[in-house]
């Protein structure tokens, strides 16, 4: 059974940085396009970054030039480097495949506040 375990969230001031990690166990990680999603209170979950099997990346306009997604296939891990954080980035962050093939993990809370 596939498990998604996100970590790295926390409380950070505006303009700060965080690096999120997601370990994917129990699957052939390298064959999937992976994404980072987020869900703010009262809002729907949204896709913010994608990395394909080949390493091509795409970002939502709201995070472009501030967030960087990467993957380490031997470690079955996908990362999200978040810089220049804004209060509107506050949300629970999740990883999954681009097609949301797997059951969602618990996510990791990111709070941007002074």
């Amino acid at each position: 059974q596939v498990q998604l375990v996100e970590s790295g969230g926390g409380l950070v001031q505006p303009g700060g940085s965080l690096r999120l990690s997601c370990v994917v166990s129990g699957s052939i990680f390298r064959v999937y396009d992976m994404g980072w999603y987020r869900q703010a209170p009262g809002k729907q979950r949204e896709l913010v970054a994608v990395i394909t099997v080949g390493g091509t990346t795409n970002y939502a306009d709201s995070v472009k030039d501030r967030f960087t997604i990467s993957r380490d296939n031997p470690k079955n891990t996908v990362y999200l480097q978040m810089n220049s954080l804004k209060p509107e980035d506050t949300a629970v962050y999740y990883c999954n495949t681009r097609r949301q093939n797997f059951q969602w993990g618990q996510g990791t809370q990111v709070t941007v506040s002074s």
Side-chain angles (χ1 to χ4, degrees):
Q1 184 175 352
V2 175
Q3 283 190 315
L4 306 174
V5 180
E6 301 93 348
S7 62
L11 173 64
V12 63
Q13 292 186 342
S17 298
L18 284 173
R19 188 192 193 207
L20 307 183
S21 300
C22 173
V23 178
V24 182
S25 63
S27 75
I28 308 175
F29 172 78
R30 65 182 181 274
V31 305
Y32 292 100
D33 296 345
M34 294 298 301
W36 277 99
Y37 301 74
R38 68 184 181 189
Q39 187 168 20
K43 295 188 177 181
Q44 288 191 334
R45 189 173 290 162
E46 62 170 340
L47 178 63
V48 298
V50 171
I51 185 165
T52 69
V53 169
T56 300
T57 58
N58 283 288
Y59 301 92
D61 288 343
S62 58
V63 306
K64 200 171 292 183
D65 299 325
R66 299 188 299 120
F67 289 11
T68 303
I69 188 171
S70 61
R71 65 192 297 162
D72 186 334
N73 287 340
K75 293 184 178 180
N76 280 16
T77 302
V78 60
Y79 302 99
L80 187 67
Q81 177 67 45
M82 306 187 296
N83 299 328
S84 302
L85 282 161
K86 304 175 180 180
E88 50 263 44
D89 295 319
T90 295
V92 179
Y93 284 72
Y94 303 86
C95 72
N96 209 321
T97 67
R98 180 165 24 191
R99 297 186 182 273
Q100 302 176 28
N101 295 91
F102 303 136
Q103 185 174 356
W104 295 96
Q106 293 189 332
T108 185
Q109 175 70 49
V110 172
T111 303
V112 185
S113 175
S114 55

